[in-house]
Amino acid sequence: MDDPIVVDDLERLSFRVDRRAYTDDDVAAQEMARIFDRCWLYVGHESEVPEPGSFVSREVGGRPVILAHGSDGAIRVFANSCTHRGALLCSQPAGQVKSFRCPYHDWTFSNKGELTGVPIPDGYGPGFRKADFGLAQHRSDSYRGFVFVTFDPQQPRTLTEYLAGATEYIDLVADQSETGMEVIQGAQLHGAQANWKLMMENSVDIYHFRALHKRYVSYMQSLGSVPPRRRGGFGRALGLGHGANELPPAAARPLAHWTPMFDPELRPRMEATAARFAEKFGAERAQRITGMNRALMIFPNLMIIDAIALTIRKIDPVGADRMAITSVALAPKDEDPEIRELRKSHYLTFLGPAGFATPDDIEIIESCQRGYRNRTVRYSDLSRGMNKEIPETTDELPAREFWRQWDRLMHGDDGHFEVAHQAELQGAEKE
């Protein structure tokens, strides 16, 4: 990668990305080795495996894994591959088991990963030991219920160190309930014929909102609500590729901020929730928890969107020009049943794959991918907001933070948060 893909010129306030980053098969292969094989990657939420024996299976960084709650109470991440001949142990997306059985030869493993059963064991010699064939366990950790895994045995950072400034925003999500947060059952699985990084960019891009989502804007106005404004709020670079946008709500989240678009009977309940948060956290922090919309990007491929509805979106590459998207809604465990139904409606209406926004987003990033076939225009520009001390949400600071970390890792440099473009980081912090 001698010919630079990311052209970052702070002196000229110019930031460009060569479009071969979205189209080149060799770049896509290098990403798997240099990014997805090295970083901490989101696996799932602890609420998805709430009790011993529960598990979920999914692809993470191109690898099939099992997130399992063992009978000893520990939550582990295993390779979803039998240590005998490699068959998938779990073909179901979730379930409750005491053991995992390989369908090929009936090798059986406990939910702690131990090999417990081998048919016709006398076919093996005296050196065969079950202890040598337990499930491969990946290094994993969790922060406030969000479980991550790394496939790099030399990964020098703990999960908390890796998350850097993103922990502040995860805390704002996790503090929305005194009894914990939970994933609402029912994942949305879909994809797009476009490069995965386009969806990451789109998810922190407020600049497009009123132009692209005209149907939703009109719908919200018909209900007497005001959609997210074009200007205002602020963007932040959180280090190590993570970034966030934060702005006051216009279309309220169903938590503690009532608007006329909600049932009037919900108003006293939401106001009581707001008062309870203010008493616990103080007025300023309570306002950030309950009264602000935000989009948090965790490098490389996780979005936590806390606007309109609280959504966890995992975006996985499937080659240079395809991606897979897993989306779930997150909610307080102790949520009022009527507010829970409202939350689910908001999630499906806007952020679901058949909602107002997501089809627009999918169509436009697929349009970008097709446009890149004309190679006359070499670069995409992400310079918006570089001239500002405090970038707004319509600026592109979070996307630039993503690309700077992408560029460091693709060149074999893990990057240091303390020295990475401190000018933009400090500018955002002044808010």
Side-chain angles (χ1 to χ4, degrees), residues 1 5 7 64 124 210 222 225 251 360 373 403:
M1 295 184 63
I5 287 180
V7 182
Y124 294 97
R210 286 181 177 268
S222 73
S225 184
D360 293 340
R373 295 174 188 168
W403 277 107

Side-chain angles (χ1 to χ4, degrees), residues 74-79 83 112-113 134-140 149-151:
I75 294 177
R76 302 175 178 87
V77 179
F78 298 115
T83 51
K112 297 184 291 183
L135 293 180
Q137 181 177 337
H138 299 300
R139 179 182 169 191
S140 63
V149 65
T150 179
F151 302 120

